[in-house]
Amino acid sequence: LLHLPSLIYFSHCSIHVVFVFFFFFFQAEDGIRDFCLSRGLGDVYKRQPADPALWSLILTNTTNPLPEGYAPELASVGSNSRNGEQFMDARVKEPLEQMFAAAKADGIELVARSAYRSTQEQTTLFNSMKQDYINQGMSEEEAFAATKQWRNEPGTSEHETGLAVDIVGAADINAALVESLEERDWAVWLREHAPEYGFILRYMKDKTDITGTSFEPWHYRYVGVEDAQKITAQGVCLEEYLGRTE
């Protein structure tokens, strides 16, 4: 049998060794991931964004307006016959072009129909749609509510971030943007492959009560490859992924 002093010394050393081991183990992200996966906690790990403060994860909606003075550095992402030259955040240009090239290799020609919009442009579009509803006989209040289902108020639109883009097939450049477009070959391709390039279907059919926006099979948002794949695998919207469903 060990003498009491020896036993105390042995226990003290063991605790010290264990502490040092776990300290270094949990410093590494890979260690945390492996720890979670080995104990069946992979879903818990995978649900979390690696860095919620990333520029690509900025959240804007009716309750989360963009910071005052927000102005992304823009780069051209092509032009189209309907809306002319389109721009996005310069950091998104390369992954968007890679995605379009991959689609073309699969026989799908994609077009960035509408991308970045300034606050002024968003104001014009919002007011124009609202006036159309008023002309149809709606009251000011009814027209405002109906417009918000399809267009965010200025200052709360994803298009103002430079990270969102309305994508359609070339043949649908002038088509009405309606939910039935989800059946088009280009829409199917995007749902299957967009996350590989960092893009997510932003306004999902079964998440309208959370996003506050109707289902838009053409509206894609850049969040980065890792987060896009996590979001898509879980079937959640950006608000849920970030834990901001207020």
Side-chain angles (χ1 to χ4, degrees), residues 6-24:
S6 299
L7 182 60
I8 293 174
Y9 177 78
F10 177 80
S11 299
H12 175 75
C13 290
S14 298
I15 292 172
H16 180 72
V17 169
V18 170
F19 174 81
V20 171
F21 171 80
F22 278 99
F23 175 81
F24 286 104

Side-chain angles (χ1 to χ4, degrees), residues 6-236:
S6 299
L7 182 60
I8 293 174
Y9 177 78
F10 177 80
S11 299
H12 175 75
C13 290
S14 298
I15 292 172
H16 180 72
V17 169
V18 170
F19 174 81
V20 171
F21 171 80
F22 278 99
F23 175 81
F24 286 104
F25 180 77
F26 283 106
Q27 295 307 301
E29 182 181 353
D30 288 344
I32 297 174
R33 181 196 63 219
D34 294 342
F35 177 79
C36 290
L37 295 176
S38 67
R39 285 158 178 76
L41 301 176
D43 287 341
V44 174
Y45 175 81
K46 292 175 184 176
R47 287 185 65 87
Q48 308 301 318
D51 181 3
L54 276 175
W55 60 271
S56 55
L57 291 179
I58 188 170
L59 178 66
T60 178
N61 54 29
T62 55
T63 56
N64 293 277
L66 285 171
E68 187 174 350
Y70 184 91
E73 181 181 341
L74 301 174
S76 174
V77 292
S79 61
N80 62 72
S81 58
R82 182 185 179 91
N83 297 316
E85 190 170 15
Q86 297 301 302
F87 298 86
M88 292 189 72
D89 186 303
R91 293 167 289 191
V92 179
K93 177 180 174 66
E94 184 175 352
L96 184 75
E97 291 178 343
Q98 290 175 344
M99 181 169 72
F100 278 24
K104 190 170 185 177
D106 287 341
I108 306 291
E109 186 175 356
L110 299 175
V111 177
R113 174 164 157 164
S114 181
Y116 173 76
R117 297 174 194 155
S118 66
T119 300
Q120 182 178 356
E121 289 174 311
Q122 186 66 20
T123 300
T124 299
L125 289 171
F126 188 91
N127 290 339
S128 176
M129 179 175 281
K130 186 177 74 170
Q131 187 59 51
D132 286 343
Y133 282 124
I134 291 174
N135 294 342
Q136 294 172 28
M138 289 187 181
S139 68
E140 179 89 14
E141 184 178 348
E142 291 171 335
F144 180 80
T147 302
K148 283 184 65 176
Q149 290 297 308
W150 295 103
R151 288 220 166 96
N152 283 30
E153 293 180 76
T156 69
S157 170
E158 284 219 323
H159 284 281
E160 294 172 76
T161 67
L163 303 175
V165 55
D166 293 340
I167 303 173
V168 297
D172 286 322
I173 187 62
N174 292 310
L177 295 179
V178 293
E179 294 186 5
S180 59
L181 289 176
E182 67 172 318
E183 300 172 3
R184 295 285 207 272
D185 57 356
W186 57 263
V188 173
W189 190 95
L190 282 169
R191 286 197 299 274
E192 293 178 354
H193 297 286
E196 299 168 17
Y197 302 91
F199 292 86
I200 59 170
L201 176 62
R202 179 65 176 94
Y203 300 124
M204 303 161 68
K205 183 180 292 186
D206 59 345
K207 303 294 182 180
T208 57
D209 58 327
I210 298 174
T211 64
T213 300
S214 297
F215 172 49
E216 297 187 352
W218 55 85
H219 184 105
Y220 278 80
R221 159 67 192 269
Y222 184 81
V223 294
V225 175
E226 178 182 342
D227 290 303
Q229 292 179 337
K230 286 182 179 180
I231 290 169
T232 304
Q234 295 176 65
V236 297

